[in-house]
Amino acid sequence: MGKLRQTALILGEGPTEFFYFKSLCDVFKRLTIKPDYPKHTSIKELELKIEEGISMGYSHIFCIIDMDTKDQEPERSQYQKLKAKYAKPINKPKKGIYCEVEFFETHRCTELFFLYYFRYTSRPYDEQEPLLNDLNKCVEYRKTIDFFIKSKGLHSYFERNGGSLEKAVANANRSMEDKQADGRDYTYSELGLLMEKLGKL
């Protein structure tokens, strides 16, 4: 029988999310956060990682989703199907498994949440490049593993350079309110909701 742990497995789609959530382990001390990511960023790979996490006995699996890759078919339908599959908690008492799988989306990508450490925007980004440019006006940032390692923890790097997680959460939540109010489907992040959730676990 598996053992239930108050542990969160955070699945990102690539190294950006992996390094960022690793850097948050100091913030959420009581939580065992294990960031991980599939070697290939396909929905199928993500599903395999979720199944692996469930069988390992994680109580929460949080999937960090970049929506810029879900704008087109077949990814969009595959992603909707995956969300529907885990809409209800996985409950297998005989195996000692109870797991909630949740998805947290950002459009275009996680870097928007990084920008929210510094300032709010609802500007539409058709490409990643202009978003990275805006982020670089606030803080030097390179989307490379080399840079992630050199920054000695992305979260503290942003805070050392004048950003703040509180501000990022507030800005992300504001983006969700604006999104609902004006019905837009771009430039928003649900990562503020995830941070609040991690704080309560």
Side-chain angles (χ1 to χ4, degrees):
M1 183 167 142
K3 60 182 187 301
L4 279 178
R5 301 173 291 179
Q6 264 302 54
T7 49
L9 173 63
I10 296 190
L11 290 176
E13 293 184 90
T16 306
E17 293 79 14
F18 173 81
F19 280 99
Y20 175 64
F21 280 96
K22 208 172 152 68
S23 77
L24 283 177
C25 289
D26 297 346
V27 180
F28 302 105
K29 284 190 175 67
R30 292 165 303 132
L31 250 189
T32 309
I33 297 181
K34 183 183 183 302
D36 200 353
Y37 64 97
K39 292 296 166 258
H40 308 286
T41 53
S42 71
I43 297 289
K44 198 150 191 56
E45 286 273 335
L46 184 61
E47 190 173 350
L48 288 172
K49 280 283 181 198
I50 293 171
E51 288 300 327
E52 197 180 287
I54 292 169
S55 64
M56 283 166 76
Y58 283 98
S59 55
H60 299 272
I61 297 177
F62 300 124
C63 303
I64 313 304
I65 305 293
D66 287 347
M67 293 306 285
D68 60 355
T69 56
K70 312 290 176 289
D71 284 345
Q72 307 290 324
E73 293 297 354
E75 281 77 16
R76 185 183 303 176
S77 303
Q78 290 170 349
Y79 173 56
Q80 292 306 335
K81 222 160 99 182
L82 185 69
K83 271 174 83 173
K85 179 177 176 179
Y86 297 108
K88 290 195 178 87
I90 308 297
N91 193 4
K92 298 178 181 172
K94 282 195 173 125
K95 289 186 176 169
I97 287 173
Y98 182 85
C99 180
E100 291 176 27
V101 181
E102 289 181 76
F103 297 83
F104 294 87
E105 302 167 356
T106 300
H107 192 282
R108 297 195 62 84
C109 52
T110 303
E111 276 78 11
L112 178 69
F113 188 70
F114 299 166
L115 179 59
Y116 282 164
Y117 263 76
F118 302 91
R119 65 178 182 83
Y120 181 73
T121 185
S122 60
R123 170 190 170 185
Y125 294 102
D126 296 330
E127 305 272 308
Q128 232 182 70
E129 219 41 55
L131 170 56
L132 296 179
N133 289 344
D134 279 357
L135 179 55
N136 269 288
K137 286 175 193 159
C138 303
V139 65
E140 191 197 340
Y141 177 83
R142 301 280 169 269
K143 199 169 180 154
T144 64
I145 288 179
D146 198 41
F147 174 80
F148 297 154
I149 292 166
K150 269 215 288 258
S151 72
K152 294 188 169 39
L154 284 172
H155 161 68
S156 56
Y157 170 71
F158 296 143
E159 295 217 321
R160 285 197 307 275
N161 285 282
S164 118
L165 180 58
E166 268 170 49
K167 191 189 273 185
V169 169
N171 284 333
N173 290 347
R174 180 180 160 191
S175 78
M176 293 307 296
E177 284 161 20
D178 286 358
K179 174 184 184 273
Q180 263 176 326
D182 57 26
R184 71 167 191 254
D185 62 351
Y186 57 83
T187 318
Y188 63 86
S189 178
E190 293 180 337
L191 290 183
L193 302 171
L194 170 60
M195 298 303 168
E196 289 170 351
K197 196 145 214 170
L198 289 173
K200 287 181 190 140
L201 278 188

